[in-house]
Amino acid sequence: MINEKNIQLFKALSEDTRYRIIKALLEAERKYKANESDDCKGELCACEIPELIGRTQSNTSMHLAKLQDWGMIKVRKEGKMRLYSIKNDKIRKLLEVLEE
């Protein structure tokens, strides 16, 4: 039986911009867990991500929306800021294996 969620995961990671977004969010999470960054709670503001990944704001927004629709990332609002973080644990595990 084909698992559609796994297919979505590989689709997400197969596109360069989405992969860069996921990697940036994982790095923010790692820094937070290592107490290197106390202010971000392992999240990135939508305004920070384009610069981190070398893409335009509009292109990044489109990919953030797709990742959110697929359940890969989550967003919370704090004032006018939209803060993104990883939602899907499989992404963490898969990238851990790939980075070994």
Side-chain angles (χ1 to χ4, degrees):
M1 183 174 187
I2 295 175
N3 184 329
E4 290 297 322
K5 290 190 184 247
N6 287 344
I7 292 171
Q8 292 298 328
L9 175 63
F10 284 106
K11 277 185 184 179
L13 295 174
S14 69
E15 201 287 323
D16 184 54
T17 301
R18 292 191 293 260
Y19 179 78
R20 288 172 184 256
I21 291 169
I22 295 294
K23 290 288 288 178
L25 291 172
L26 286 171
E27 183 61 27
E29 195 175 81
R30 284 185 192 121
K31 284 182 179 179
Y32 176 70
K33 287 180 180 177
N35 292 323
E36 294 175 26
S37 177
D38 294 329
D39 57 333
C40 74
K41 299 178 185 170
E43 303 168 315
L44 287 175
C45 176
C47 61
E48 297 173 291
I49 298 172
E51 185 176 330
L52 289 171
I53 66 169
R55 300 292 188 264
T56 64
Q57 182 70 44
S58 61
N59 181 267
T60 303
S61 293
M62 178 187 70
H63 288 290
L64 285 168
K66 183 63 88 174
L67 289 168
Q68 189 178 357
D69 288 346
W70 285 343
M72 308 282 165
I73 62 173
K74 58 186 173 185
V75 63
R76 75 176 180 88
K77 294 179 183 176
E78 189 172 292
K80 292 184 178 185
M81 294 190 314
R82 295 177 63 84
L83 299 167
Y84 289 89
S85 60
I86 300 293
K87 180 178 180 181
N88 187 323
D89 243 0
K90 283 185 179 182
I91 291 174
R92 287 183 192 92
K93 292 175 185 174
L94 182 58
L95 287 177
E96 264 181 38
V97 169
L98 291 174
E99 292 175 351
E100 289 182 348

